[in-house]
Amino acid sequence: MVVRTKGARCRNRAIFIRKFPKNKKENMAASTTSSFPTSQEGVATSSQQNLDAITDDDFEYVDEEFVLSHSAEQQAQPEPMIPDLFKQPSLVKDDLITATSQLQDQTVEHCLPFLTGEDGPLDLNDYGLPKLNREKHIKFLKQSLGPLPGRFVAVDASRPWYLYWCLSGLTMMGEDVSSYRDSVIETARTMQNESGGFGGGHGQTSHLATTYAVILAIALVGGEEAYDVIDKKAMWKWLCSLKQPDGGFQVCVGGEEDIRGAYIAAVIITLLDLPLDLTPESPAYDGRSNLLTGLAEYVRSCQTFEGGISSQPNNEAHGAYAFCALACLAILDNPRRIIPSYLDVPRLISWLSYRQYAPEGGFSGRTNKLVDGCYSHWAGGCFPLIEACLSPSGPGSEKNKTATGLAAAPESLYSREGLIRYILCCCQDQTKRGGLRDKPYKMSDPYHTNYVLSGLSSAQHQWDLDSDPLPLPNGDTTPSLAALGADSVWNVFPYIDENDQIYEDSDRVRPIHPAYAIPQKNVNAIRAYFQGRSGFASTLGGE
Amino acid sequence: MPPKGKAATKPKATETTTTSNPTTTNTTSQTASQPSEPTTVLERSQQRFEKTRPFEAARRQQGLSRLSKEDQKGWICDQLLHLTNRLPAASRSCLLGPKASKEIWWTVNGTNSIVRGLKHKPEPYTTWGTDRNGHDVGSYTIERFDERFRKRIALTALQVSSRVFRENVEREKRGFVDARSGREIIVTEREIDEEKVRRSKMAALKKDLYGAITGKLAESVEWEDVVPIPHEEPEGALAAITYPAEYAEAMSYLRAVMTTKEYSPRCLRLTEHIIAMNPAHYTVWLYRAANIFALDLSIPDEIEWLNEVALANLKNYQIWHHRHLLVEHYYPTISSDPDALAQFAKQERDFLIAILSEDTKNYHVWSYRSWLVGKLGMWEDEEELKSIEKMIDEDVRNNSAWSHRFVLVFSNPKYATPGKAATEKDEKVPQELVDREVKYAQNKVYLAPQNQSPWNYMRGVLVKGGQPLASVQGFVEEFVNKLGEGEEEEEVKSTHALDLLAEIYAEKKENEKADLCLRRLAEKWDKIRGGYWEWRRKCLTQSETEKAPGEQVEKAEEGIAAA
């Protein structure tokens, strides 16, 4: 971690390096207690706070000799420290030119000036990175929540997504969004249908995607009044009508069945503590099955020969669906048990790792496709879940013994530096507009702003799964009787790089739950509220 | 209608109860006779009302029991008079006998009541209704109210003319003859133009007066019977869109017909209208499909229409689910006819080829195509494989095409065991198929060795066929030379070869060699995946002491199953 003196300007100045004690775990614990009052709280966000947080104890670790030699080196060599990996086109290249290679080369060409800092007069730090332009991004998201001009008709069916993307992005950047509670309540009411679920707006059919977005927006603003908007009983009935005999879910009545449906259903069921019983009207009703029956099997059927996950069986592996698959499984049961039981983990890790490109540093969604900021979350956000699945079980178990039989994940399975570089250099719209984007020369939008920030958050944090798999009820082999994973205890730590931290401390955004994609405290609050109201569940017997 | 007797006894009853405290003696008509100048139309009407009922204001203020006996009598007579006035003339005499009537008139004449007055007391909101902003029209100033009134008259006049025009159109259609002139009725261009002007004026007036939805639909005769449901959203709703008038209007009609579950040709046209403005509107698409099925319209016609829309909206994805629904519906009608089926499959493929040439990796198109292969049973269709090969030839890096090929070859029910995962070995897959596909991939690797698609494909084929990765060791080694023999000497034409080589060595328990591959990837050839290569190396050392990763996974699964 790099700590600057208050007056330090960006380049060519001496910096203080805080070196960490040999035992990293100990240090991580120390930093956890200082900047994380509880493991689930957000990270201190302003640089001032971080500077103030440095006590004399911290300076014990300063290696003065290193600082001096480092600063001398800096003066002699004013170039920012950017590894060649991110400055040059990839080492191994083919001569054959096709449409794919042309687009790829063009993208690299577009990204390189941003990665090396040649583009524009931006203030860069010693590692060649611009700061996270919080103010502009916050302004951009707030504007996106306001009245939108007529040309936004194209997103008329996605307005709930705007609520979630903007509120989630603002939350990650440290804004208090509870002031939006009343407007979220009012907006959500017009989107809810009497037959259960939320549509894209007044009079629109209920859809799982829009319902997911509304529920997460409600969870983000919090408060009983907001939770009460949700008609839980109608929601349950509606979900039952979407459940299919093969275990998956349709996204709306008469709509397609895909893995988004599987993930979103798992999220809704566990956040709202819905009963698992199926209504006799459900297409999946057979007297034995429940809402979760066959869901993990459905996820399994979406893994492709490449190792990645597709939207439906027999399609191409795609980053967004990989996240849906892993997050769905992580909600159904402890990732240590369920992920290796249903997915080919080595192939999945291989495929996920190949989503990261150099020199861009960002992730792509599919083999031979281009990097895109949103995959910072869809692909990047898979790693906390993968790392949890590889992590050795808790104390008492054999050291380094993982449930998969595979080696535990190293400090980082992917290049966090690459991703952070791509995000800060290439994904920020540095014009007056603000917001984050797919790649240079693309327009920023709330979707990319949120998912790029989610990816940044995931790259800046480390999650520790603090619970061992619970015994399955009744000796079942599939977690169809209860969503056991939803109760998993996750602890979050700021990720401390072995080497220097390349970004400013003030650029750290807040952590989000690896499966629910909102802060853990919001997950806990909404679950606690609905678990405390068991009235509906107990009346089900008479249904 | 109150019975005669009761009406007659009522005044008596009140009389007896009020005689004990006669507190007020002043005539109430005096208080009502000094009205201030009315500012609103409601005030004016209320004043008028009170003028015709001299005792009403006093009764309201003080209560009937506190009025003087004469005032009470006057009020009661007033009430009776207004009550009888509301009845048809013939039944008036039935209510009261001639004697009673005479007495009432005598009293009324004495109090200067005005017989012809407002029947009901004007109340805010209920009497005049609200305007388009929800304000009480009664609260309007006199001037403003008059202006509104003039507008209403103007609208009525226009509506009458418009009706005449429409009737004429109808007459023209049926070839009616004008009774006076004896000539056939013809609607002239000028009349049509006039009607257009009239319609826009009517729309503007309706919007002004009632906030009614205006636009093409509101002006159209076809939609006259539908009461649109306007967009309802509280002020300050988040991400609210300032809808263009045309879209807002169409959506309000959509809400109305969806609520009544109407399925008709006009609904179909409405969906087309909305789709043209917002093709990402899943609700409209689902409703469109429902209309087509309810009206039993021709699926091929709809598909033809859809082709145009799809080409104009390449990134749209609702289109593809719509097509999916259409085919699901259409399939049973052709499933028993192999020729029709083949013909339909060809048509679909031709269109898919056309659209994929515009957007070669469109996820939704490929998803649809993969589903279609299963639905229409195109597994053995040589044309399908050929067309994929053509796409791979055009761009050997098109991973979507490679993925489709894998599905086409290995999800074929002839060779695929149901329930097998894609990364699982399947005994049913014949050896020659594996050989053919491995060979195909290898030929494509030669074209561009760093292209990952055929590498992934080849590895996938080997696993499906249950063949050791080492069976391609010779091929893979072609792309890696002098590994670990010095920076200058070492040559790697493909990092994917190096990756696969590491797996082959690990499979053969040559862990040192495998480790060298992984180390060189991390140190030089593929540094971005440093963490991943490190993990793979850890897996190697772990497997040295224990067993191979693959076996471990199986063992772990068994353990779970047993738990």
Side-chain angles (χ1 to χ4, degrees), chain B residues 6-23:
Chain B
K6 204 178 174 185
T9 51
K10 216 176 177 181
K12 248 186 197 166
T14 43
E15 209 173 328
T16 49
T17 51
T18 52
T19 41
S20 52
N21 53 349
T23 44

Side-chain angles (χ1 to χ4, degrees), chain B residues 171-172 175-186:
Chain B
R171 288 195 188 104
E172 185 194 27
F176 277 22
V177 172
D178 190 305
R180 280 183 212 160
S181 62
R183 267 174 284 176
E184 240 180 57
I185 291 173
I186 293 163

Side-chain angles (χ1 to χ4, degrees), chain A residues 123-141:
Chain A
D123 218 3
L124 305 178
N125 72 7
D126 302 291
Y127 301 92
L129 286 174
K131 284 185 64 64
L132 179 71
N133 212 329
R134 255 172 220 271
E135 261 173 58
K136 275 189 202 159
H137 304 328
I138 289 173
K139 200 178 127 229
F140 175 76
L141 290 180

Side-chain angles (χ1 to χ4, degrees), chain A residues 94 96 98 100 145 148 150 153 156 159 187 200 202 205 254 260 306 314 316 353-354 356 366 368 403 407-408, chain B residues 232-233 238-240 242-243 247 282 317 321 361 363 370 395 397 399-400 411 450-451 453 456 499 529 535 556:
Chain A
D94 299 321
L96 182 76
T98 65
T100 300
L145 278 175
L148 303 169
V153 154
D156 191 27
R159 282 182 50 224
T187 314
H202 174 210
T205 307
R260 292 174 307 160
E306 288 191 279
N314 283 337
E316 187 183 5
S353 302
Y354 273 109
Q356 194 167 26
R366 299 182 248 167
N368 278 334
Chain B
E232 205 176 89
E233 202 159 58
L238 294 175
T242 316
Y243 298 110
Y247 181 78
Y282 63 89
Y317 105 156
H321 179 64
K361 298 175 183 178
Y363 198 83
S370 145
D395 184 352
R397 296 182 177 95
N399 197 62
S400 304
S411 293
Q450 186 56 15
N451 170 18
S453 295
N456 282 352
D499 180 356
R529 266 163 283 287
W535 174 72

Side-chain angles (χ1 to χ4, degrees), chain A residues 222-487:
Chain A
E224 298 197 350
E225 211 191 326
Y227 302 149
D228 276 338
V229 170
I230 303 166
D231 184 344
K232 193 173 149 180
K233 191 170 180 179
M235 181 75 72
W236 165 73
K237 283 186 176 170
W238 175 62
L239 270 183
C240 289
S241 72
L242 301 176
K243 176 78 178 178
Q244 299 298 303
D246 67 358
F249 282 84
Q250 277 185 343
V251 291
C252 57
V253 176
E256 60 273 26
E257 177 188 10
D258 65 23
I259 201 155
R260 292 174 307 160
Y263 164 58
I264 293 169
V267 167
I268 295 174
I269 290 165
T270 50
L271 284 187
L272 307 187
D273 193 37
L274 296 183
L276 297 180
D277 312 58
L278 284 175
T279 57
E281 293 78 31
S282 168
Y285 183 81
D286 58 7
R288 286 170 288 117
S289 301
N290 69 25
L291 273 172
L292 298 179
T293 308
L295 196 55
E297 282 79 4
Y298 182 79
V299 171
R300 178 181 191 252
S301 72
C302 292
Q303 188 167 31
T304 82
F305 72 95
E306 288 191 279
I309 314 288
S310 59
S311 63
Q312 294 159 326
N314 283 337
N315 290 346
E316 187 183 5
H318 189 293
Y321 306 121
F323 177 80
C324 291
L326 287 172
C328 175
L329 292 180
I331 289 171
L332 291 179
D333 192 16
N334 190 304
R336 284 195 190 99
R337 172 166 58 199
I338 192 167
I339 295 179
S341 314
Y342 285 95
L343 297 175
D344 183 334
V345 175
R347 287 328 296 154
L348 178 58
I349 296 177
S350 164
W351 181 84
L352 274 173
S353 302
Y354 273 109
R355 299 285 51 76
Q356 194 167 26
Y357 289 4
E360 304 96 303
F363 284 87
S364 72
R366 299 182 248 167
T367 304
N368 278 334
K369 289 275 283 179
L370 306 172
V371 284
D372 177 338
C374 72
Y375 297 115
S376 309
H377 168 71
W378 297 124
C382 287
F383 285 98
L385 298 163
I386 285 288
E387 281 164 8
C389 125
L390 292 178
S391 62
S393 340
S397 64
E398 212 177 315
K399 198 172 176 276
N400 275 338
K401 173 103 179 167
T402 66
T404 53
L406 299 165
E411 278 303 312
S412 185
L413 257 174
Y414 69 104
S415 167
R416 292 177 190 248
E417 175 175 355
L419 182 59
I420 292 169
R421 279 185 183 279
Y422 181 70
I423 289 174
L424 293 178
C425 297
C426 297
C427 292
Q428 296 196 76
D429 186 327
Q430 297 286 6
T431 68
K432 192 167 82 188
R433 177 185 169 90
L436 295 129
R437 62 190 175 191
D438 165 349
K439 54 173 78 67
Y441 306 109
K442 296 266 182 180
M443 291 285 268
S444 61
D445 56 55
Y447 165 83
H448 282 94
T449 305
N450 175 55
Y451 289 122
V452 170
L453 287 171
S454 305
L456 181 62
S457 163
S458 149
Q460 291 171 333
H461 293 93
Q462 214 166 11
W463 289 86
D464 212 6
L465 179 61
D466 202 16
S467 35
D468 283 328
L470 298 163
L472 289 166
N474 307 333
D476 265 20
T477 49
T478 51
S480 61
L481 293 173
L484 297 169
D487 294 324

Side-chain angles (χ1 to χ4, degrees), chain B residues 214-230:
Chain B
T214 58
K216 282 189 185 128
L217 301 175
E219 292 167 31
S220 136
V221 189
E222 191 186 14
W223 290 96
E224 240 174 3
D225 60 313
V226 177
V227 181
I229 303 176

